[in-house]
Amino acid sequence: MKIYFAPMEGITLYPLRNIHKEMFGEEVSKYYTPFVSTARTYKFKKREQRDILPEFVTSFADYKNEVVPQIMGNKAEQIIWAARKMHELGYNEANLNMGCPVATVVNRHKGSGLLEDVDKLDAMLFEIFDTIEKENLGFKFSLKTRLGMHDDSESLKIMKVLAKYPVSELTLHARVRDDYYKGQIRAEAFCRAAKEYLKNGGSGTIVYNGDINSVSDFKKITDIIKKFTDATMDSNDDKRDFKIDHFMLGRGLITNPALAREIAGGEKLKADELRTYLDRLYEAYEEYIPEDQNVIFKMLEHWAFIHIHFKDCDKYLKAIRKSRSKGEYKAAVTNMFSSCEFVI
């Protein structure tokens, strides 16, 4: 089994990746960067480029294989250019974002907007993989996508297209674009899509993504996959081919940084290590962005998830949110940890 840390825009930046790797990364095989956008100018935005520079990848013994830059684009030549740049920086894999549901992205036919016109997507992927093969570019190219735009029945046509190309991995978020990140995951539709991908000759490793926020969530998903396998596969060979043992976690690892360890049978998150983790994140963000207020805003993105570990914490969380200086923030956090029961 392998667990990956999903890309989350503005959150899974190198300060978090480095600190999480040091403290909780033993059971996490790969960390994906927030997307880097392609452009007609063939230049990255400075803040996006900074996030992928090897000089800031300080906690990874093998960053070339443990960190995967994600690309956002809709033009084959621009995506190939970006992937080449990633390879020049030493990365052995680039990942194409085909799943972001945000309207400003989709309206530009990027992210999950690529799923609107499957024939156009097919032509784009053909050009990408044809260039990779002809020029012997020597890097892995993976995809992260959804089950469709509006309905998960769209996934069958999408899988037939994706199966044509030698992707290294195919990460499937078990929702359609219209779901955004809300509502029940479509676990059985994920299974049907994965089966269709393999039936049509897909060679990439399938990675499950979607709402694994606890050990019980993980067990629920793996039980659904097992039941689907037992009910629909005719032979042991089919069952081996359908093995799903790669999982991508996003919000679950932001909420509980020790979740991968817990899934692997290790210790549950402890209050003192969460406090250390948050303190180290604050220090890292101080180096990453100027001014206390900006650092506090960045930490509040984490507290939006992490506060669930503190019982009856509304008053203390409000104080954290009202902090306007480092001193106020640190005092408010101390009050949270000392006054609220820690739950997991």
Side-chain angles (χ1 to χ4, degrees):
M1 181 185 72
K2 290 187 177 181
I3 294 175
Y4 300 156
F5 204 139
M8 294 181 67
E9 186 179 8
I11 296 181
T12 56
L13 302 164
Y14 72 77
L16 179 143
R17 297 197 301 269
N18 286 331
I19 292 167
H20 189 277
K21 176 64 177 177
E22 289 180 20
M23 292 190 64
F24 301 103
E26 187 174 348
E27 302 297 339
V28 180
S29 299
K30 288 195 289 195
Y31 291 72
Y32 288 70
T33 74
F35 64 76
V36 177
S37 300
T38 63
R40 288 175 294 178
T41 59
Y42 290 92
K43 291 182 179 179
F44 295 131
K45 295 177 182 177
K46 287 185 179 180
R47 63 177 174 80
E48 293 181 349
Q49 184 171 16
R50 182 187 180 196
D51 190 52
I52 59 173
L53 291 177
E55 65 195 81
F56 297 117
V57 188
T58 58
S59 301
F60 294 81
D62 183 21
Y63 83 89
K64 297 180 178 182
N65 294 302
E66 293 177 297
V67 179
V68 181
Q70 187 179 72
I71 298 168
M72 176 76 77
N74 60 8
K75 298 285 192 299
E77 63 274 13
Q78 294 173 7
I79 293 168
I80 293 166
W81 169 83
R84 281 198 188 101
K85 289 296 182 183
M86 306 304 182
H87 193 51
E88 289 171 8
L89 291 172
Y91 296 101
N92 286 333
E93 180 184 345
N95 177 267
L96 179 61
N97 184 319
M98 294 169 46
C100 179
V102 177
T104 53
V105 171
V106 173
N107 291 341
R108 289 179 288 165
H109 306 290
K110 296 181 179 181
S112 58
L114 291 169
L115 306 178
E116 284 187 297
D117 187 335
V118 179
D119 292 334
K120 188 174 181 179
L121 172 64
D122 191 4
M124 185 189 78
L125 291 175
F126 177 86
E127 187 174 347
I128 291 171
F129 284 98
D130 187 56
T131 302
I132 291 173
E133 181 182 0
K134 286 181 177 177
E135 298 186 16
N136 193 25
L137 296 181
F139 55 75
K140 298 175 183 178
F141 198 83
S142 58
L143 307 176
K144 185 175 187 293
T145 190
R146 290 182 173 238
L147 299 173
M149 281 290 292
H150 312 293
D151 189 274
D152 56 52
S153 63
E154 299 167 30
S155 66
L156 301 183
K157 184 176 181 180
I158 294 168
M159 292 304 111
K160 288 178 182 177
V161 168
L162 301 187
K164 294 160 62 174
Y165 301 102
V167 302
S168 58
E169 291 182 335
L170 174 63
T171 299
L172 291 175
H173 184 102
R175 287 187 172 94
V176 297
R177 185 266 172 175
D178 288 352
D179 294 334
Y180 284 77
Y181 298 100
K182 299 177 181 178
Q184 292 293 318
I185 55 166
R186 302 171 184 243
E188 292 188 3
F190 162 87
C191 292
R192 291 192 295 271
K195 181 179 180 181
E196 186 72 13
Y197 175 76
L198 295 171
K199 185 180 79 173
N200 283 276
S203 59
T205 300
I206 296 172
V207 182
Y208 174 86
N209 175 228
D211 277 17
I212 297 180
N213 299 315
S214 64
V215 174
S216 62
D217 288 341
F218 176 77
K219 290 179 178 178
K220 178 181 177 181
I221 292 300
T222 52
D223 284 348
I224 290 172
I225 292 172
K226 185 179 185 303
K227 288 178 181 177
F228 179 89
T229 304
D230 292 342
T232 65
M233 303 296 171
D234 296 328
S235 67
N236 288 332
D237 288 341
D238 290 336
K239 292 179 180 180
R240 281 194 293 269
D241 289 342
F242 192 73
K243 185 177 182 181
I244 308 292
D245 59 1
H246 289 50
F247 302 88
M248 181 178 282
L249 283 58
R251 289 170 292 172
L253 281 172
I254 299 297
T255 304
N256 177 1
L259 181 55
R261 182 177 75 195
E262 293 180 21
I263 288 172
E267 287 185 305
K268 292 183 178 181
L269 179 68
K270 300 186 288 290
D272 59 344
E273 64 181 346
L274 179 60
R275 179 64 192 267
T276 300
Y277 177 69
L278 292 172
D279 287 347
R280 291 190 61 187
L281 273 179
Y282 192 101
E283 293 168 3
Y285 284 136
E286 280 186 301
E287 297 179 8
Y288 180 75
I289 47 181
E291 300 182 5
D292 286 357
Q293 194 65 67
N294 293 331
V295 177
I296 292 169
F297 284 151
K298 186 60 65 177
M299 293 305 301
L300 291 181
E301 294 178 349
H302 293 275
W303 278 105
F305 296 91
I306 285 171
H307 75 273
I308 69 167
H309 294 298
F310 299 89
K311 190 174 181 179
D312 300 325
C313 70
D314 289 354
K315 178 175 71 173
Y316 303 95
L317 181 62
K318 185 176 180 180
I320 292 174
R321 289 171 173 163
K322 290 175 65 177
S323 300
R324 292 297 177 265
S325 68
K326 181 177 181 179
E328 288 182 3
Y329 171 82
K330 291 284 188 179
V333 170
T334 296
N335 283 338
M336 173 76 90
F337 274 87
S338 62
S339 303
C340 299
E341 179 185 349
F342 184 77
V343 293
I344 190 69

